[in-house]
Amino acid sequence: MLAAHPPAQALRLWMDLFGDWLATKHGMTDTLLAMIDAGEISLAHTRQELLSAITTILDAGAAAGDIRADARAEDVSAGMLAVAAKSGEPAQARRLLDLIMDALRPQWGAADGLSR
C-alpha cells in the first residue's frame, strides 16, 4: 500500500482491509480458537505481525509528516479492534476509523508533548 499511496491514505485503506478480514473471521471464532488451542496458529505471532505492519506505515507517515511521530502501533491496533468489536454497521465503522485517522494527524503542540 505504501508503494501506491501516501502513508496516511495507505493506513486508512489498510484499516478497511483489516476490518474486512476481521468480518470474514467473525463466524469462524470457534474454529480459530480450536486452531490456537492446537498450536496451529499463535496469537503472539499474529499480534506481532499486525503490530509490525502498523509500525511500518506509522514510521513512513511520521517521516512524511502526515502521521504523528508519537503514534504507537499498539494504540492504533487497540482502536481498530475496539471499532471492530463495537461497531454495529459498516458506515459506523468507517466513521470511527476516520476519527482514529484524524487523531493520528500531526497536531499543534504534539512535538512538545502538549495537547489541545
Side-chain angles (χ1 to χ4, degrees), residues 16-90:
D16 284 337
L17 289 175
F18 183 74
D20 292 345
W21 179 81
L22 282 177
T24 63
K25 303 302 181 218
H26 181 68
M28 299 175 49
T29 303
D30 291 337
T31 302
L32 290 172
L33 290 174
M35 292 174 73
I36 291 167
D37 287 343
E40 294 177 35
I41 57 176
S42 163
L43 283 180
H45 179 72
T46 301
R47 181 178 188 276
Q48 187 54 43
E49 285 181 347
L50 172 68
L51 295 177
S52 178
I54 295 170
T55 297
T56 298
I57 300 173
L58 291 178
D59 288 348
D66 64 351
I67 295 178
R68 296 169 58 142
D70 64 340
R72 296 185 50 183
E74 293 84 355
D75 299 334
V76 174
S77 172
M80 289 172 36
L81 292 172
V83 167
K86 297 297 182 184
S87 62
E89 58 184 62

